[in-house]
Structures are given as structure tokens and as C-alpha cells.
Amino acid sequence: MKQWCCLWGFICLCLMTTAQDNPGPGQALQAGRLKKGLYRSFREFRENNPSESGDLVIKSRSTAAQIYLLASRNELVLRDAAGQEQKVKNYWGFCDGTNIYIKDNGLNRIQAFGYYCTYELQGVQPARSAYNPADMTVNAMNTPVRLKKVINIVSGEILELSLYNLKKYILPQDPALLEEFRNDKAKRDKLDYYISRFNERNKPPQSGQ
């Protein structure tokens, strides 16, 4: 009996060690302090392992620049020892040590981690001019643009958080939640709720599975 208990304890220890050596995708992001630096690839982001560091700074662009230059709302620059700034190109994302930003028409902060990480793409687009009868002037009305997206922590696939994508690609992985979604008459206003519920109920597979 004593020998059997020792053998069982050894097996459990081996299983625990294997699980630690092969963490599931994205676990490193939540297991400890985020590492500051530049992600050159999705894999570096998923493993919380930026390959480059330095004095990296996010700089915002004005509304005028976004509209008339068709530019994103911000950009990432690298400052050298003399204070000179150089625009960073060809990268996947950036971590400032507290938050992670994905490069998608500018840098957008990841708001929630899980099987599907979420972020919101923001920008400004010009709208039609509006006439003000009080002073007989014509003013341009700038329209803010917001679009919620999700990143699959296993594959790196990015999707718009929409009714169609929830029904077609995400929730079919959880039949019970998909059924709840189909029967919910207010689901159009509950997209964040369903992606959050999916993340709570489903964990990414361990590496190698």
C-alpha cells in the first residue's frame, strides 16, 4: 500500500511538471508581470516575450492629421540617447509594462485577456458639413469611429466582434452557450457579454494538445 501511494505521488508530480513546462496559449500573459518591449510577432505577444526593448513611446496624432493625411490616431516611436525619434515599423504590438497594444490602424489597448482577447479600434472620419443658421457658417462634423475586435489566443486570428462572427465562428465551440445566444432576443446589445461568458467557460488547450 505504501509503495502504491509513493508511485501515485510520483505520477502526479510528473503530470504537474509537464503542465508547467507546457502552459496553455496566453497563460504567460496572466501569470506574472508584463514585460515591456516590442512584439515582432503574434507568438511573442502570446508568450509575453517581447524581442526588442528601448525607449519606446506612443505618440498621438491630431484629428486634422487623421482626416487630411489619412493617418492612424497614433504611432510608435523609438527615442535614442540624444532624444531623436524614429518611427517604428514592421511590428505586431507593444507593451509598456502595464498595458499591451496591438497594431491595427494605430495602437489599440487590449482590454481583456482570455481565449479571445478584446480591443477597440478607434479613429476619426470626416462627415458632411453642417450649416449653423445662428452665425451663417458651415462647420465640418468629425465622426468618431469605434470597432470592437477579438483575437484568438491560439491561432492569432482577428475578427470583428459581431453577431455574425459570434454565431458562425466563436460560439459553435460551446453548444450550450450558442443555444442561449440564439434564443436571446436582446443579443444584439450583448456582444461583450457573450465573448466574456465564452472566455469564462472555455480555456485554451495546453500546448501540444
Side-chain angles (χ1 to χ4, degrees), residues 2 5 22 36 46 61-62 65 69 71 81 100 108 110 145 150 156 182 198 204:
K2 184 177 181 180
C5 291
N22 299 282
K36 181 177 180 178
R46 189 177 70 180
R61 290 192 174 100
S62 66
L69 301 180
I100 290 178
N108 307 280
I110 292 182
V145 177
V150 296
R182 284 174 171 167
F198 181 89

Side-chain angles (χ1 to χ4, degrees), residues 59-75 87 104-107 121-126:
K59 298 197 68 176
S60 299
R61 290 192 174 100
S62 66
T63 299
Q66 294 179 58
I67 294 174
Y68 299 112
L69 301 180
L70 301 178
S72 58
R73 67 191 182 96
N74 55 32
E75 64 178 346
K87 183 177 179 180
D104 184 355
N105 190 33
L107 286 150
L121 191 152
Q122 300 179 31
V124 177
Q125 68 178 15

Side-chain angles (χ1 to χ4, degrees), residues 158-169:
I158 296 177
L159 297 170
E160 178 185 347
L161 182 55
S162 65
L163 286 171
Y164 177 81
N165 287 334
L166 278 169
K167 181 180 178 181
K168 180 72 174 180
Y169 300 111

Side-chain angles (χ1 to χ4, degrees), residues 51 65 130 136 139 207:
S51 60
M136 301 178 68
N139 301 310
S207 297

Side-chain angles (χ1 to χ4, degrees), residues 138-159:
V138 177
N139 301 310
M141 303 294 291
N142 301 321
T143 305
V145 177
R146 294 178 180 272
L147 180 66
K148 183 68 76 67
K149 291 189 175 183
V150 296
I151 310 167
N152 185 310
I153 198 66
V154 178
S155 65
E157 180 183 32
I158 296 177
L159 297 170

